[in-house]
Amino acid sequence: MSTVRPFKAIRPAKEYAEKVESLPYDVMNREEATEMAKDNPYSFLHICRSEIDLPEVEDVYSPEVYKKAKTNIDERLQKGIFIEEDKPAFYIYRQKMDGRYQTGIVGCVSVDEYMNNTIKKHELTRVEKEQDRINHFDACNADTEPVFLTYRDDKRIRTIVEGFMNAHDPEYDFTDPTGIGHTLWVIDDDALIKGITDLFKEIPALYIADGHHRSASAAKVGAKRRAQNPGYTGDEEFNYFMAAILPDTDLKCYDYNRVVKDLNGNSKEEFFAKVKAAGFDLENMGADPYRPAHKHEFSMYIDGEWYKMTAADKLVPGDIIGALDVSILQKNLLDPILDIKDPRTSDRIDFIGGIRGLEELKRRADSDMQLAIAVYPLSVDELFAVADGELEMPPKSTWFEPKLGSGLFMHRL
């Protein structure tokens, strides 16, 4: 059973939606956020990355940063840039990218179901990143960005969603500067709300596609508010957090690739010999970018040439995690040959989302790095299998596009 319920969103007034919407807080650094929000006082980056409004504050985790985010929300509410719904509603949120649509319901999900793993995870989180969003949500008294959840597609929910979209005009409909389309419908009909709520009760589990830190932080803020309110009933808003919930059939998972600074003291010839001895077959594919064609095949770029790198059967174990390509790469090449023991903390490795293309791998390997390795994308079914087994994927395993837009809805706690 999955609890999904409507909420009174704080969201942009219709005429401001296109100006407010931004990329999520965690896909850029401070300098990039400052540049993106330049000349746009409405950008949601002034809230989710409020340090850009405090150039004199060096610590992006300073209490002043979180206070500034709350101030910016309040000011926008006072000026009518943001509005707050009069009654709880669900929202249909559709994005278009490269001719492909992904469409889901935005509502609130249960802190308890996150804690009891009805909302399933597939990644570990880092304490410092959790604490950042805990401080942010707590200071803002709101979930400011939705968690990206998925579930196994249910035709009954899809029928309701498609029927509503066909029968009603959207509240927002615009294309952002990156070419992503954003369309939003408001469902405030009580009968439809009940129908959607009841259907989600029949969904056995929801899965985090993107937003493990946001969901962990939201759950901990909920737990904190419970401790502060020992007479809580369970119906208070802090017992729930905001999520965009999309069916698995709409999602596209991209590759999440690696670039490495050096060959750990090896010459290129020595490195190649060790890769082959480890159980990988290497084939020179020339100067044109080469993309892996199937699971257990990689592409490697070094010194102006691309190589097809195929893992031997002996490198593919029978367990779910070990058989993931990112695991095969880490266990048999990055760790033993390049001495990258922990990719979470090593400063010799970086990660590049597949949306940026193979040319970005080449650029990095030709500039500040030496080696690039592209992997074949994981599937949503693999994500489900890992989460159902209560296992954790290696870091930087999945990259979903398009990213959810930020600023189109907030959930007051």
Side-chain angles (χ1 to χ4, degrees), residues 154-175:
D154 186 294
K155 290 182 179 179
R156 298 168 300 171
I157 297 174
R158 183 177 289 276
T159 296
I160 289 177
V161 168
E162 291 177 350
F164 192 90
M165 290 191 300
N166 291 334
H168 296 81
D169 292 331
E171 178 74 0
Y172 310 147
D173 190 11
F174 63 89
T175 300

Side-chain angles (χ1 to χ4, degrees), residues 4-17:
V4 179
R5 74 178 204 168
F7 68 108
K8 297 179 181 179
I10 299 171
R11 58 183 181 84
K14 190 171 185 177
E15 63 269 28
Y16 293 108

Side-chain angles (χ1 to χ4, degrees), residues 122-247:
H122 66 267
E123 286 183 2
L124 295 173
T125 55
R126 290 165 52 187
V127 172
E128 67 273 16
K129 289 189 70 176
E130 275 189 34
Q131 192 60 52
D132 168 49
R133 288 300 97 175
I134 289 171
N135 294 341
H136 179 78
F137 295 157
D138 209 17
C140 292
N141 191 36
D143 303 320
T144 53
E145 294 176 283
V147 176
F148 186 170
L149 301 182
T150 188
Y151 63 100
R152 292 180 174 90
D153 198 353
D154 186 294
K155 290 182 179 179
R156 298 168 300 171
I157 297 174
R158 183 177 289 276
T159 296
I160 289 177
V161 168
E162 291 177 350
F164 192 90
M165 290 191 300
N166 291 334
H168 296 81
D169 292 331
E171 178 74 0
Y172 310 147
D173 190 11
F174 63 89
T175 300
D176 70 26
T178 69
I180 306 299
H182 303 265
T183 312
L184 187 80
W185 290 261
V186 181
I187 300 178
D188 57 7
D189 178 84
D190 291 339
L192 275 179
I193 288 173
K194 184 179 185 306
I196 292 168
T197 301
D198 288 345
L199 286 173
F200 271 109
K201 288 178 181 178
E202 298 182 34
I203 301 296
L206 302 173
Y207 298 79
I208 300 173
D210 196 5
H212 282 79
H213 288 94
R214 269 167 282 168
S215 53
S217 300
K220 288 182 178 178
V221 170
K224 179 180 178 181
R225 296 291 178 97
R226 288 176 173 184
Q228 293 169 342
N229 297 273
Y232 76 92
T233 66
D235 195 51
E236 298 87 354
E237 290 299 323
F238 57 71
N239 295 289
Y240 301 87
F241 60 93
M242 182 174 61
I245 310 162
L246 292 86

Side-chain angles (χ1 to χ4, degrees), residues 75-363:
E75 288 178 351
R76 284 155 175 76
L77 279 166
Q78 291 166 5
K79 293 177 180 178
I81 298 167
F82 289 164
I83 60 174
E84 188 166 8
E85 301 287 4
D86 294 328
K87 61 176 291 189
F90 280 130
Y91 304 86
I92 297 173
Y93 180 38
R94 184 179 72 183
Q95 292 176 283
K96 181 181 180 182
M97 175 181 172
D98 299 333
R100 178 177 65 86
Y101 292 96
Q102 62 180 33
T103 307
I105 296 285
V106 179
C108 282
V109 297
S110 167
V111 165
D112 288 316
E113 289 173 13
Y114 174 86
M115 293 176 175
N116 69 24
N117 211 39
T118 301
I119 297 173
K120 298 191 176 188
K121 306 91 176 163
H122 66 267
E123 286 183 2
L124 295 173
T125 55
R126 290 165 52 187
V127 172
E128 67 273 16
K129 289 189 70 176
E130 275 189 34
Q131 192 60 52
D132 168 49
R133 288 300 97 175
I134 289 171
N135 294 341
H136 179 78
F137 295 157
D138 209 17
C140 292
N141 191 36
D143 303 320
T144 53
E145 294 176 283
V147 176
F148 186 170
L149 301 182
T150 188
Y151 63 100
R152 292 180 174 90
D153 198 353
D154 186 294
K155 290 182 179 179
R156 298 168 300 171
I157 297 174
R158 183 177 289 276
T159 296
I160 289 177
V161 168
E162 291 177 350
F164 192 90
M165 290 191 300
N166 291 334
H168 296 81
D169 292 331
E171 178 74 0
Y172 310 147
D173 190 11
F174 63 89
T175 300
D176 70 26
T178 69
I180 306 299
H182 303 265
T183 312
L184 187 80
W185 290 261
V186 181
I187 300 178
D188 57 7
D189 178 84
D190 291 339
L192 275 179
I193 288 173
K194 184 179 185 306
I196 292 168
T197 301
D198 288 345
L199 286 173
F200 271 109
K201 288 178 181 178
E202 298 182 34
I203 301 296
L206 302 173
Y207 298 79
I208 300 173
D210 196 5
H212 282 79
H213 288 94
R214 269 167 282 168
S215 53
S217 300
K220 288 182 178 178
V221 170
K224 179 180 178 181
R225 296 291 178 97
R226 288 176 173 184
Q228 293 169 342
N229 297 273
Y232 76 92
T233 66
D235 195 51
E236 298 87 354
E237 290 299 323
F238 57 71
N239 295 289
Y240 301 87
F241 60 93
M242 182 174 61
I245 310 162
L246 292 86
D248 63 325
T249 50
D250 279 14
L251 303 192
K252 182 172 182 179
C253 188
Y254 287 76
D255 40 314
Y256 213 158
N257 302 312
R258 278 76 172 135
V259 287
V260 182
K261 190 176 292 291
D262 58 69
L263 299 183
N264 191 33
N266 295 290
S267 68
K268 185 169 75 172
E269 292 72 23
E270 290 169 334
F271 172 64
F272 281 1
K274 291 180 180 180
V275 169
K276 292 176 182 177
F280 294 97
D281 179 66
L282 284 180
E283 180 182 351
N284 190 322
M285 306 302 288
D288 293 335
Y290 178 76
R291 184 175 298 281
H294 52 75
K295 283 176 63 62
H296 311 326
E297 181 180 291
F298 307 81
S299 68
M300 182 166 66
Y301 174 82
I302 185 171
D303 287 349
E305 293 185 306
W306 291 86
Y307 296 82
K308 179 167 69 172
M309 185 172 74
T310 307
D313 290 344
K314 68 178 183 179
L315 301 185
V316 184
D319 64 290
I320 297 170
I321 298 296
L324 297 176
D325 284 354
V326 287
S327 298
I328 293 169
L329 183 65
Q330 178 62 35
K331 180 180 178 181
N332 299 285
L333 193 156
L334 295 177
D335 180 354
I337 300 175
L338 296 179
D339 196 34
I340 297 174
K341 304 293 184 186
D342 185 353
R344 295 176 192 274
T345 59
S346 174
D347 60 2
R348 295 173 50 235
I349 189 169
D350 199 3
F351 304 89
I352 299 175
I355 190 66
R356 304 189 70 175
L358 297 178
E359 286 299 325
E360 177 64 10
L361 295 184
K362 178 180 183 300
R363 186 191 72 79

